[in-house]
Amino acid sequence: MADLIQLLTNGLALGSVYALAAIGFVIVYSATGVVNFAAGQFVMLGTFAGVATLVNAGWPLPVGYAGALALMALFGLLFYAVVYLPLGRSPVVTIIIGTVAIGITLQNAALLTFGSWPFRLPSPVEGMMLEVAGAVIPVHAVAVVVATAVLIGLMWLLLNRTALGIAMRAVAQDAKTARLMGLRVNALLAFTWVLAAVLAGIAGLMLGPMWFADVNMGDPIALKAFAATIIGGFGSLPGAIAGGLFVGLAEVLGASYVSSAYKDLIAFGAMILFLLLRPQGVFGERIQDRG
Amino acid sequence: MRSVLVLSALILAGFALSFAVSEYTLRLLNMAVIAAVAVIGLNFAFGYAGLISLGHSAFVGLGAYGLAILTTKADWSPWLAAIPAVAGTGLAAAALGYPLLRLKGHYLALATLGLNVSFSIVASNWIELTGGTNGIAQIPGLTLAGYKLDGEQTFLWFGLAVLALLGLAALAIHASRLGRAMMAVRDDETAAAMTGIDVTGVSVTAFVLSAIYAAIAGCLFAAHVHFVSPDDFNYAHSITFLSMLIVGGEGSVAGAIVGAALLTFLPEWLRVLGEGYLAFFGLMMLAILVFLPTGIAGLLRRWRRPALPPQDTAAGLDGAVSR
Amino acid sequence: MIAATQNALSATGITKRFGGLVALADVDLTVGNGEFVALIGPNGAGKSTLLNVLTGLSAPTAGRIALDGRDVTRLPTHRRIRAGLGRTFQHGRLFPRLSVVENIMTGAANRAGRGEAGLRAHALAQLRRMGLERLADQPISALSYGNRRMVELTRVLACEPRVLLLDEPAAGLNLGEVEDLMARLRAIRAEDRIAVVLIEHNMGMVMRLAERVVVLNFGRKIAEGTPAEVQADPAVLAAYLGEGAAHAGR
């Protein structure tokens, strides 16, 4: 029982990170039609933005977090200008390859800047443990789940209750009409990229203390985010959350109860099964193929 | 006819180079030839039939592991082992293709990506069969009429001969009713069905052909390097194969070869830039995609036939995108 | 009209629902051997839906379709084409990566047994018959809109259909091209005895070509008869007047 509680907490924490990565992927896809294969590198950069401000520059926690997220916002803007604007209207294959290529550049740039040694990112609740029904669980894991829940709530408010969010959804549904309605479509698209980068940044900052920060961490995260997106339903925000939590739990529980070697096969097997049997995922309404 | 000439010129250029370059460059040329075989295969699936596969490397791996296992565990000759390795890969592609190819666009891309990742997980963990992450070593090389094909130069000659044969076969298929049917399916599935083309059948055939070429490339790889491990066939290689096809120019056999050669050598040439060469490589790829969206073959086509009148209907616009 | 012992095409009780929306309600359509039937009706009457059901692009909720007496209701599209059905699209859908003659060859490939040279010869013969042989090696992108539609018609004729479904073949053509199209259709029928189902808003064309007219409105068949009978039918008039001046310009 104690084991199970521990595993569930860790699984939910990891799943929260995947969910945030998947949400970033989904809002970009819905708004711009771009299948962003660099999504995992976004999370990696988030972790290393934290390494830069908290470890290398030694800033205090709140300032360091704010600085890291500001860097991520800038990065989102840069990505919009350098990758999205020239490539956004290309066929889906070109976009896949282009975002992979830029992902290679990002990974290599991080390697040059930070070296190949793994870093340990501090947590605000470093070393604190919580005892629940005989199980000792790290407070960080609980904080990650809570913070993700709060973020998802804020996202919901943004998209449904603010003029900015409603304008974003209008652009996602029909950019041409939105332009005719006088919305500043380009600014909204740029904001979408910034939002995706900041969400990935938060995911990276939360993941940093759970894993060792390593410049090669992006690819596995991207693969898990893709699996989460497919399982939950391509383009659906609730789907990204449910899918992310499922993938995180499957990874942690699978490693413990099935086989640590084959733990990832659960998520990818589920992804392929969903694609074949229910390609719209759990929450998707229907396939909207932009390919 | 022109494509046969271009193919012959490329093969002859490779042959001429084999007398002029260092052992290291010969090794890269061998890698380029093996990649070219795989990319010509991918051209059936993507270039002709429009199926985005990010799992091509898994089929290369199936071929390579098939040959490696049969030669090292069952002591088969590599020539004999290649037959079931290639045929088995083709069967696997057919079995996977029927359910999988109902998916399109990025759904198919992500499904095949998942397949490639699953292949890597199995190859890394089914230790009794695959040796796990240690891989399989001491795969025997090829012997042809008493000659050992173990030097880089001799292997390159053999590889070029295989590439020439498979390239010619691909050109013949391109010009056949199957080739036309594949391109019709990519251009417009509904209209293709309306001319009596079995869309699913043609798509699966293209997928199986692409897997067969991939498996042959895998057998060449195993026989050349004498060693296979899961890392040689992870999904990153699938993306590389697709990049080679796009950079060379999808839909063209010569483009597939040029793309394979270019992306094999480009990272090596960029090494002079020092540690950050992969960062430049990514940026260069992005620049190629933005400025040469139809690849090198497309650029040459435009030079040769500059004055195509603009297309004036919605159907024409779709065509321009898929071109 | 000559009474045929067996209809080239017979669709009975065709119903198609999309969720709660009824696009076709219990529609019957029979076409005799070599007969020329026009299918008319206001926009949204279900004409294109009926073509999609007949060709297998969408499955009917209920009903049965037979070609030459053979039930094809459950056959996929390409098998229906091989069984003798042919169709053109509203805006002409060609394969832009193939040349004109290669486009025709995809259609000709249905009749097995022709080698590559035979296919080409057959395709060129079809082009010659349509007066388009000079376009044979052109890329599709070099064709005018009118020529694209004629090439599409040639491609479907190369499949040697027994029943040809034409979805607004005259839309977007100029007056001269429409006259040319009508002459070709007459010639094709005289030579090949192909049964034709024509969807067309150009009433002049319908009245001059069709032996029988079927009128759909809101997914139901509201009238059927000779062009003269249908023109005089008050239900048909009401259906078209209800739509206002939408077709006045055609």
Side-chain angles (χ1 to χ4, degrees):
Chain A
M1 187 60 205
D3 279 358
L4 186 63
I5 291 173
Q6 215 161 0
L7 291 173
L8 283 176
T9 318
N10 288 338
L12 285 175
L14 192 57
S16 300
V17 173
Y18 293 152
L20 284 181
I23 290 173
F25 179 75
V26 163
I27 59 172
V28 159
Y29 174 74
S30 313
T32 68
V34 166
V35 181
N36 180 15
F37 268 65
Q41 309 302 346
F42 278 42
V43 177
M44 179 276 290
L45 281 185
T47 304
F48 277 90
V51 168
T53 56
L54 294 170
V55 180
N56 290 359
W59 293 356
L61 269 174
V63 186
Y65 277 158
L69 293 182
L71 283 176
M72 286 308 288
L74 262 178
F75 167 73
L77 205 57
L78 190 70
F79 199 91
Y80 163 80
V82 176
V83 182
Y84 173 69
L85 282 184
L87 213 57
R89 307 215 139 267
S90 307
V92 64
V93 173
T94 310
I95 291 178
I96 290 175
I97 309 253
T99 51
V100 168
I102 209 68
I104 293 173
T105 301
L106 294 174
Q107 190 179 348
N108 208 250
L111 179 70
L112 284 177
T113 316
F114 297 97
S116 53
W117 280 103
F119 284 86
R120 181 83 168 76
L121 198 64
S123 161
V125 288
E126 189 73 48
M128 285 152 83
M129 292 292 166
L130 202 68
E131 218 182 299
V132 183
V136 180
I137 50 182
V139 176
H140 181 81
V142 180
V144 164
V145 178
V146 173
T148 303
V150 171
L151 264 176
I152 289 169
L154 288 176
M155 279 287 296
W156 187 86
L157 284 178
L158 170 72
L159 290 176
N160 293 289
R161 289 284 181 272
T162 67
L164 176 64
I166 290 163
M168 281 174 69
R169 283 167 51 212
V171 171
Q173 276 163 26
D174 188 346
K176 218 178 268 175
T177 310
R179 202 181 297 273
L180 290 175
M181 302 288 290
L183 291 176
R184 294 176 57 205
V185 171
N186 284 335
L188 287 165
L189 289 176
F191 179 72
T192 304
W193 281 102
V194 169
L195 186 62
V198 170
L199 284 175
I202 297 173
L205 291 174
M206 298 196 312
L207 188 61
M210 293 158 64
W211 287 2
F212 280 106
D214 167 354
V215 293
N216 298 317
M217 66 198 270
D219 285 336
I221 296 170
L223 292 174
K224 299 289 165 55
F226 294 157
T229 310
I230 295 287
I231 292 168
F234 218 91
S236 149
L237 284 180
I241 298 160
L245 294 178
F246 171 83
V247 171
L249 285 170
E251 183 174 337
V252 172
L253 295 177
S256 181
Y257 292 118
V258 186
S259 136
S260 67
Y262 286 103
K263 65 180 170 27
D264 288 341
L265 217 47
I266 301 172
F268 293 113
M271 166 175 133
I272 292 172
L273 276 182
F274 264 100
L275 277 167
L276 295 180
L277 303 177
R278 196 179 154 81
Q280 70 273 41
V282 178
F283 288 92
E285 280 166 6
R286 63 188 181 86
I287 288 199
Q288 32 163 321
D289 187 1
R290 294 177 188 244
Chain B
M1 260 318 92
R2 174 183 264 125
S3 8
V4 176
L5 287 179
V6 175
L7 176 65
S8 317
L10 286 170
I11 300 288
L12 284 176
F15 186 68
L17 274 176
S18 75
F19 295 99
V21 297
S22 68
E23 191 76 2
Y24 176 69
T25 308
L26 279 175
R27 191 173 175 78
L28 286 177
L29 278 172
N30 270 313
M31 287 297 147
V33 165
I34 292 169
V37 169
V39 178
I40 292 175
L42 188 57
N43 190 39
F44 288 118
F46 179 65
Y48 296 166
L51 310 166
I52 307 179
S53 169
L54 292 181
H56 201 56
S57 177
F59 292 123
V60 179
L62 274 180
Y65 269 103
L67 184 127
I69 290 166
L70 288 173
T71 50
T72 58
K73 311 234 153 153
D75 280 328
W76 288 30
S77 119
W79 296 106
L80 196 59
I83 296 167
V86 172
T89 306
L91 284 176
L96 292 166
Y98 269 101
L100 220 52
L101 297 182
R102 286 178 306 165
L103 301 168
K104 307 267 173 294
H106 58 266
Y107 288 96
L108 183 59
L110 289 174
T112 46
L113 179 73
L115 212 61
N116 206 146
V117 173
S118 304
F119 172 81
S120 299
I121 295 173
V122 173
S124 307
N125 293 294
W126 192 353
I127 294 169
E128 308 86 76
L129 191 68
T130 66
T133 45
N134 291 331
I136 299 174
Q138 290 175 323
I139 301 165
L142 296 170
T143 310
L144 189 60
Y147 285 98
K148 279 196 151 168
L149 301 174
D150 51 1
E152 292 292 346
Q153 191 187 38
T154 44
F155 195 91
L156 180 60
W157 294 342
F158 172 69
L160 284 169
V162 173
L163 179 62
L165 276 178
L166 292 177
L168 284 174
L171 287 176
I173 292 170
H174 178 101
S176 73
R177 74 175 70 181
L178 175 61
R180 280 192 302 276
M182 288 185 209
M183 283 180 276
V185 165
R186 174 172 174 180
D187 280 347
D188 188 334
E189 279 192 10
T190 307
M194 217 54 80
T195 58
I197 291 169
D198 175 2
V199 171
T200 314
V202 166
S203 302
V204 172
T205 307
F207 197 59
V208 168
L209 272 173
S210 89
I212 286 175
Y213 273 62
I216 296 174
C219 289
L220 285 173
F221 179 88
H224 175 244
V225 184
H226 308 301
F227 171 71
V228 294
S229 75
D231 272 354
D232 296 323
F233 313 108
N234 65 25
Y235 75 95
H237 289 89
S238 292
I239 294 173
T240 306
F241 291 137
L242 199 53
S243 313
M244 288 168 166
L245 186 55
I246 304 284
V247 167
E250 34 113 351
S252 143
V253 170
I257 297 173
V258 171
L262 189 68
L263 288 202
T264 305
F265 279 90
L266 188 61
E268 301 301 319
W269 291 334
L270 289 178
R271 272 180 198 276
V272 297
L273 295 171
E275 274 189 288
Y277 78 99
L278 277 177
F280 284 100
F281 175 70
L283 286 175
M284 269 188 84
M285 277 294 299
L286 188 67
I288 292 174
L289 294 175
V290 171
F291 296 112
L292 288 180
T294 51
I296 293 163
L299 181 74
L300 296 180
R301 255 199 306 273
R302 248 181 299 163
W303 276 343
R304 215 167 57 219
R305 199 170 55 194
L308 276 186
Q311 310 207 336
D312 54 354
T313 64
L317 271 179
D318 290 343
V321 171
S322 63
R323 188 170 277 262
Chain C
M1 189 180 101
I2 306 157
T5 48
Q6 192 166 58
N7 288 314
L9 173 73
S10 100
T12 40
I14 301 295
T15 298
K16 176 72 191 177
R17 275 188 224 106
F18 296 102
L21 186 84
V22 180
L24 292 170
D26 199 22
V27 173
D28 292 339
L29 178 70
T30 54
V31 185
N33 284 311
E35 196 188 1
F36 200 119
V37 177
L39 185 61
I40 65 170
N43 281 333
K47 303 178 303 270
S48 286
T49 308
L50 183 56
L51 283 207
N52 287 346
V53 168
L54 291 177
T55 49
L57 293 183
S58 77
T61 316
R64 183 178 170 278
I65 302 158
L67 261 177
D68 277 330
R70 176 182 168 213
D71 190 328
V72 297
T73 317
R74 299 191 163 276
L75 287 189
T77 299
H78 67 274
R79 302 266 306 273
R80 296 185 198 202
I81 303 302
R82 291 178 194 173
L85 198 62
R87 177 195 176 162
T88 64
F89 290 92
Q90 240 172 48
H91 298 290
R93 290 164 76 163
L94 294 169
F95 307 124
R97 292 192 302 165
L98 300 178
S99 70
V100 167
V101 70
E102 286 169 339
N103 263 276
I104 316 282
M105 285 162 83
T106 60
N110 281 296
R111 296 284 171 259
R114 291 184 187 124
E116 198 65 9
L119 277 182
R120 198 175 183 86
H122 178 76
L124 287 172
Q126 294 286 346
L127 278 169
R128 205 168 307 122
R129 185 163 79 143
M130 301 289 281
L132 298 170
E133 68 268 39
R134 76 206 139 75
L135 298 177
D137 292 313
Q138 295 282 322
I140 298 305
S141 55
L143 300 185
S144 69
Y145 182 75
N147 277 337
R148 278 182 206 202
R149 307 223 52 182
M150 293 307 273
V151 169
E152 194 200 20
L153 185 60
T154 313
R155 186 177 67 191
V156 70
L157 289 172
C159 300
E160 298 176 1
R162 298 253 304 114
V163 183
L164 180 56
L165 314 176
L166 301 171
D167 197 350
E168 296 194 33
L173 300 189
N174 63 37
L175 280 178
E177 287 169 333
V178 171
E179 286 302 321
D180 185 44
L181 173 68
M182 291 190 8
R184 300 271 171 219
L185 288 177
R186 282 207 185 91
I188 291 159
R189 283 197 64 224
E191 286 168 35
D192 300 355
R193 294 297 292 163
I194 299 175
V196 178
V197 177
L198 170 74
I199 291 186
E200 190 47 71
H201 281 304
N202 182 330
M203 283 306 146
M205 189 170 166
V206 168
M207 296 305 154
R208 283 163 65 191
L209 286 176
E211 294 163 308
R212 189 154 57 89
V213 179
V214 172
V215 190
L216 290 186
N217 194 23
F218 293 117
R220 290 176 190 280
K221 185 153 81 177
I222 58 167
E224 180 168 9
T226 64
E229 285 166 4
V230 164
Q231 258 178 321
D233 192 314
V236 177
L237 280 173
Y240 273 89
L241 287 176
E243 233 208 352
H247 298 295
R250 289 188 187 252

